[in-house]
Amino acid sequence: MLHLFFVLALQIAPTPAPTQLPYPAYGAPAPGTATQRPVAGVPQQITLNQAIAIAVAKSPVLAAARANRQLTQIPVQLARTAILPNVSGTATLTQSRRFGNAAGTSTTGTTGSVGNSFVSKGLNASLRQLIYDGGRVIAQIHQAKANAVAGADTYERNLQTLAFNVAQAYYNVLQANATTQLDVQVVNQNVVQENLVRAQLQAGTASRVDLATAQLPTAQARVALVRQQGTALAAVAAFAETLGLDPDALVMPQSTAAAVQTSSAVPILSYDQAVTRALALRPDYHSSQEAVLAAQYNLQFQRSGLFPSLNGTASYGTNSTNVAGGAFGPSDSVGLTLSIPVWDQGVTRAQTETAQAQLDLANAELSQTRLTVETDVRQALVGLVSAQAAVAQAQAELAKAQEILRATQAQYRAGVTTLPLLLNAQVGLTQAQTDQVNALFGLRQAEQTYIFSLGESDLIPAGS
């Protein structure tokens, strides 16, 4: 009598590429859907740090964020121009003719006439300097600076978001590949099981019902494998797209021992400590604070619309004094201009009320951002603790499933149990191994979510 006994054991090891199988493994082939093409300058196997560096260089999402950041810096330069002197120079050469006056007269002045012709020449320079405007320009400069800082903070959060998305896609691929390998092993083990039962049938020690019972898990495992192949291919395409590459790019995560370790290297803080740290580090929260500051300066800017302004002016030039455009004479002037708004049809009042509403809105958004940070931290902290506990339980589940299978195999050899019970024990082991894979990579994802919620990122390139 042939007895069947084995323990299905998947050793989760660092694997950079999925199992080399046709797609789909069973059924009509799908040309081109599994084809990957090398990308010039991009390694075919990359670490997580390399993946983030590639995304920083190639992702159009970050390119758009970079342009938006630049747009927030330019208004600072424009606002500063209002406190700088304005200097202009002009050079004039004018020749004109008078019609309808045949008898010419000759006069001495800035312009003259010789017959019907006039010539005027001049070189002039003027200076204009703002002296006082009630703090209007200074408020505008401070507003622009606050918006620029907020834009830089937003860009930093975009960098962190990109790093987080890359890490998530990175571990999704590794998890999909590990699951595919497990499904391949399950198919192979079920085929072995089926062949053993077929041999028993030929030896007369098993029935056709036993063979059908053994064939069902094989068919189910093949269905699971085909589906998992599709999931793995989709994960690879999503990973390439996150890096800013074409979805058929040949670029695969290179796993390391750290990717499958059963414990987390990320220090777990208490909730209060984590929230305090996140509020100190999160760029999006800092951006909201700067938005409130910008709104305050905008309110100050609008209120100063009814303040008087004082400007100083000076000019110097030399201009022709005779009719032929010669005999140049110098001229200069110095003056002050005081402008006092008397009535502006209520424009300043309306703009001030708008600025106050914008300040109220910015304060509300700041409060909402704080709540979002606290919620993110709490959910990420709970998720990390749960993921760590899930790994421990998955390890215990796997050990128990292996123990049950060994005991059931011993009973089957002794003839005190049935084939369906043995198959159930093997299904239990397969489920335990699947849970182990999901738990391990679930822990990696939870770590990334926790780091992202705190606003920590040591993966942002210097100078970005």
Side-chain angles (χ1 to χ4, degrees):
M1 177 178 180
L2 292 175
H3 297 287
L4 43 145
F5 54 92
F6 52 85
V7 176
L8 182 63
L10 172 67
Q11 298 296 328
I12 302 178
T15 50
T19 303
Q20 298 300 318
L21 290 175
Y23 176 74
Y26 312 99
T33 55
T35 302
Q36 292 181 283
R37 297 177 175 84
V39 179
V42 177
Q44 297 180 8
Q45 298 178 12
I46 57 177
T47 63
L48 179 55
N49 285 355
Q50 289 175 324
I52 293 174
I54 293 171
V56 169
K58 293 184 173 294
S59 173
V61 174
L62 190 59
R66 193 178 295 114
N68 287 330
R69 175 183 179 275
Q70 183 63 22
L71 289 175
T72 64
Q73 312 303 306
I74 297 175
V76 178
Q77 305 171 21
L78 294 177
R80 285 173 176 165
T81 60
I83 63 174
L84 299 176
N86 183 292
V87 180
S88 62
T90 59
T92 60
L93 172 60
T94 305
Q95 182 174 4
S96 59
R97 294 188 180 187
R98 178 183 297 171
F99 296 95
N101 184 9
T105 60
S106 178
T107 61
T108 301
T110 302
T111 60
S113 64
V114 178
N116 295 324
S117 177
F118 301 84
V119 178
S120 175
K121 300 177 182 178
L123 291 173
N124 296 274
S126 62
L127 169 69
R128 184 178 183 276
Q129 174 65 58
L130 173 67
I131 299 175
Y132 173 78
D133 67 348
R136 184 177 177 85
V137 171
I138 296 300
Q140 191 174 30
I141 293 175
H142 285 312
Q143 178 191 2
K145 286 183 177 179
N147 284 329
V149 174
D153 287 333
T154 299
Y155 177 65
E156 183 178 351
R157 189 57 174 173
N158 288 331
L159 279 168
Q160 293 181 353
T161 302
L162 179 64
F164 171 72
N165 291 337
V166 169
Q168 295 288 85
Y170 188 95
Y171 288 119
N172 282 340
V173 174
L174 292 179
Q175 180 178 3
N177 290 345
T179 303
T180 302
Q181 292 174 0
L182 173 60
D183 289 345
V184 170
Q185 290 190 25
V186 171
V187 170
N188 294 336
Q189 296 288 10
N190 284 326
V191 170
V192 172
Q193 180 87 343
E194 181 182 332
N195 291 336
L196 289 172
V197 174
R198 183 175 288 106
Q200 288 180 328
L201 177 62
Q202 294 174 353
T205 58
S207 66
R208 292 192 177 275
V209 174
D210 291 332
L211 179 59
T213 302
Q215 288 173 334
L216 178 59
T218 303
Q220 293 173 333
R222 286 173 174 169
V223 171
L225 174 58
V226 170
R227 289 175 176 171
Q228 183 57 36
Q229 278 186 297
T231 300
L233 288 173
V236 172
F239 176 61
E241 187 270 340
T242 305
L243 300 185
L245 305 175
D246 292 336
D248 63 347
L250 180 54
V251 55
M252 298 296 298
Q254 182 179 1
S255 180
T256 62
V260 293
Q261 64 184 6
T262 58
S263 61
S264 176
V266 178
I268 299 179
L269 305 175
S270 69
Y271 172 67
D272 291 338
Q273 291 174 328
V275 168
T276 300
R277 189 172 184 82
L279 292 177
L281 295 179
R282 283 277 289 262
D284 51 338
Y285 183 66
H286 295 168
S287 178
S288 295
Q289 290 177 317
E290 292 295 330
V292 171
L293 185 60
Q296 292 172 343
Y297 281 119
N298 181 48
L299 179 59
Q300 179 181 339
F301 171 77
Q302 299 300 341
R303 283 175 175 171
S304 63
L306 294 178
F307 290 1
S309 63
L310 179 64
N311 291 275
T313 58
S315 66
Y316 179 82
T318 178
N319 298 276
S320 60
T321 59
N322 63 16
V323 296
F328 285 86
S331 63
D332 59 72
S333 67
V334 177
L336 294 174
T337 302
L338 177 65
S339 299
I340 303 176
V342 178
W343 185 60
D344 65 350
Q345 300 87 27
V347 172
T348 299
R349 179 181 178 182
Q351 292 175 337
T352 301
E353 291 176 351
T354 300
Q356 181 62 59
Q358 291 172 340
L359 176 58
D360 294 340
L361 178 60
N363 280 315
E365 291 177 347
L366 176 61
S367 298
Q368 182 59 52
T369 303
R370 182 185 180 93
L371 292 175
T372 299
V373 170
E374 293 172 347
T375 302
D376 289 348
V377 169
R378 191 168 187 85
Q379 291 177 341
L381 184 58
V382 170
L384 180 57
V385 173
S386 299
Q388 181 66 76
V391 170
Q393 293 305 312
Q395 295 292 102
E397 177 192 5
L398 179 59
K400 181 60 66 176
Q402 291 172 337
E403 178 185 348
I404 292 174
L405 180 57
R406 284 192 294 267
T408 306
Q409 289 172 342
Q411 291 176 337
Y412 186 78
R413 289 195 300 269
V416 296
T417 191
T418 62
L419 177 62
L421 291 179
L422 179 59
L423 295 178
N424 287 340
Q426 293 176 177
V427 169
L429 179 59
T430 301
Q431 182 61 51
Q433 291 178 313
T434 302
D435 291 342
Q436 183 198 30
V437 171
N438 293 337
L440 286 175
F441 288 102
L443 178 59
R444 301 287 87 80
Q445 302 281 20
E447 289 172 342
Q448 296 299 319
T449 302
Y450 179 64
I451 293 172
F452 182 63
S453 72
L454 294 181
E456 295 182 348
S457 179
D458 57 355
L459 302 174
I460 296 177
S464 296

